[in-house]
Amino acid sequence: MTATLVAEDLRRAYGETVALDGVSLSVGEGEVFALVGPNGAGKTTLVRALTGTTDAEGSVEVFGTAPADVDPERIGLLPQDFDPPERLTARELIDYFGGLYDDARDTESVLADVGLADDADTWYENLSGGQRRRTCVGTALVNDPDLLFLDEPTTGIDPAGRRALWELLEGLADGGTTIVLTTHYMEEAHRLADRVGLLADGRLVAVDDPDALVDEYGGDPRLVVETDATPSELDLSKTVGVDQRVEGGDGTLTVYGIEPQDIGEVVDALDAAGASYESLTWTDPDLEDVYLELTGAADTDAATDRTGGRDSLTATVQGRGDHGDREDREDHEDHDRVEGQR
């Protein structure tokens, strides 16, 4: 696969804060590469370094040359925080950014692609948060780029709109567009990305396709039981296929290494212990488990989404008697800086 983007040993610090600490990566033509990681991990700084909108030690090549030397028509960029003029309509904004290129896409087709055909004449300030974000995505697509950078593209977009944009991005990738995106939505990364890079403390701690990451770092499937029973009360010694590792706390028991066909054995063990329970939820490991394992802690500011796993099952049972910094402040400059190169 031909490499569209190659970065070697990228380093960037803001004072004493290290944003990038020796990041190297290569993204192939037509590949979707997703960056995930806690707020402050360096994702936005990395995107800016890759697009040449911030200085960093190390080297970056895009289409075999420095980012600043690439024909701007070949690159699209949507920063995390991009606020266009509010007294322009969605149509006028797409028209404006399309006017910066010699061979821009038709405005109406872009509006249709991002789901704004019916709201094209609404002022930006009167659009909903999700509609605003879709308008911004449209400004990054209007030049039909060969390489597209999207920093948190679907933040604030409702689930239906998010899935529509996923289909659009999948179509672009199928057509040969290379896409680099950052996201906090694990389902988004799992569905879209050919490979996922997990960034923590300015370092890429793992890069692989989503299923391979889950297999290596996701851990065992588990059954979470909402109950006041303690691990010592649950005897699984006769349960086939369960490794008998049980953890408890905060009104739940978690049984690790269990497959769906063995859930009945756990129910029998609960009944034998005289334990009441409200629900049982079986979960296959997913990218969020990988994220937590490799980053070391939950990111309370991240909008992580557990629905990216390969399977899940929830059962509710009636009880039985008693039984994100400086990076963000600079984001809005990136789109304008790239456009200024036109």
Side-chain angles (χ1 to χ4, degrees):
M1 179 185 296
T2 303
T4 297
L5 170 67
V6 178
E8 295 286 346
D9 197 27
L10 293 181
R11 299 178 182 275
R12 182 71 163 95
Y14 298 101
E16 296 182 356
T17 301
V18 177
L20 298 177
D21 188 10
V23 174
S24 298
L25 60 87
S26 177
V27 182
E29 181 179 349
E31 182 178 14
V32 180
F33 188 91
L35 282 166
V36 300
N39 289 341
K43 300 185 298 298
T44 295
T45 297
L46 179 56
V47 169
R48 294 212 307 272
L50 296 175
T51 55
T53 55
T54 194
D55 294 328
E57 298 178 19
S59 65
V60 178
E61 287 192 355
V62 178
F63 304 117
T65 189
D69 297 330
V70 177
D71 179 356
E73 303 233 357
R74 302 191 68 186
I75 298 179
L77 168 64
L78 175 64
Q80 185 177 18
D81 184 12
F82 170 53
D83 294 316
E86 295 190 341
R87 284 302 182 98
L88 294 179
T89 67
R91 176 178 282 109
E92 289 169 337
L93 284 166
I94 302 299
D95 274 339
Y96 169 76
F97 284 101
L100 300 175
Y101 302 95
D102 294 329
D103 190 23
R105 291 183 56 196
D106 175 67
T107 295
E108 299 307 315
S109 68
V110 175
L111 288 166
D113 280 348
V114 296
L116 286 173
D118 294 335
D119 299 286
D121 295 316
T122 302
W123 281 351
Y124 184 82
E125 68 177 357
N126 293 329
L127 294 172
S128 69
Q131 290 171 327
R132 291 185 182 194
R133 196 59 177 163
R134 281 185 274 160
T135 301
C136 295
V137 171
T139 67
L141 300 179
V142 70
N143 57 318
D144 194 19
D146 297 318
L147 173 59
L148 179 61
F149 291 91
L150 301 170
D151 198 354
E152 302 288 347
T154 61
T155 297
I157 298 178
D158 62 86
R162 188 182 304 158
R163 281 168 173 75
L165 276 180
W166 291 349
E167 292 175 3
L168 171 61
L169 296 178
E170 287 169 337
L172 291 173
D174 289 342
T177 302
T178 303
I179 301 174
V180 177
L181 65 92
T182 75
T183 183
H184 276 133
Y185 294 109
M186 297 300 106
E187 181 183 6
E188 184 164 274
H190 204 129
R191 171 167 169 170
L192 292 180
D194 298 296
R195 288 186 301 150
V196 174
L198 283 99
L199 199 64
D201 297 323
R203 297 186 300 273
L204 272 177
V205 295
V207 177
D208 212 330
D209 73 77
D211 287 336
L213 288 173
V214 171
D215 289 341
E216 183 170 359
Y217 300 106
D220 297 323
R222 74 213 55 170
L223 180 69
V224 178
V225 184
E226 187 178 350
T227 178
D228 291 330
T230 63
S232 61
E233 294 174 324
L234 192 62
D235 181 9
L236 295 176
S237 59
K238 297 180 180 179
T239 302
V240 177
V242 177
D243 68 1
Q244 301 182 37
R245 183 163 71 93
V246 183
E247 297 179 358
D250 297 327
T252 63
L253 288 179
T254 302
V255 185
Y256 291 90
I258 186 170
E259 297 299 334
Q261 63 268 22
D262 297 319
I263 293 175
E265 301 288 347
V266 177
V267 172
D268 290 343
L270 287 164
D271 289 340
S276 62
Y277 50 94
E278 296 293 331
S279 66
L280 303 97
T281 302
W282 180 85
T283 305
D284 210 15
D286 60 17
L287 270 181
E288 183 174 322
D289 297 302
V290 177
Y291 172 97
L292 296 176
E293 173 68 21
L294 293 178
T295 61
D299 176 14
T300 56
D301 294 328
T304 49
D305 186 342
R306 293 199 62 89
T307 56
R310 289 168 289 183
D311 203 357
S312 63
L313 174 67
T314 302
T316 301
V317 184
Q318 183 176 358
R320 305 184 181 184
D322 292 331
H323 301 299
D325 59 25
R326 178 171 176 179
E327 293 180 352
D328 298 331
R329 292 197 301 271
E330 294 182 355
D331 281 347
H332 70 282
E333 301 174 2
D334 294 349
H335 192 289
D336 294 337
R337 198 175 306 168
V338 171
E339 299 301 336
Q341 298 172 9
R342 265 75 187 165

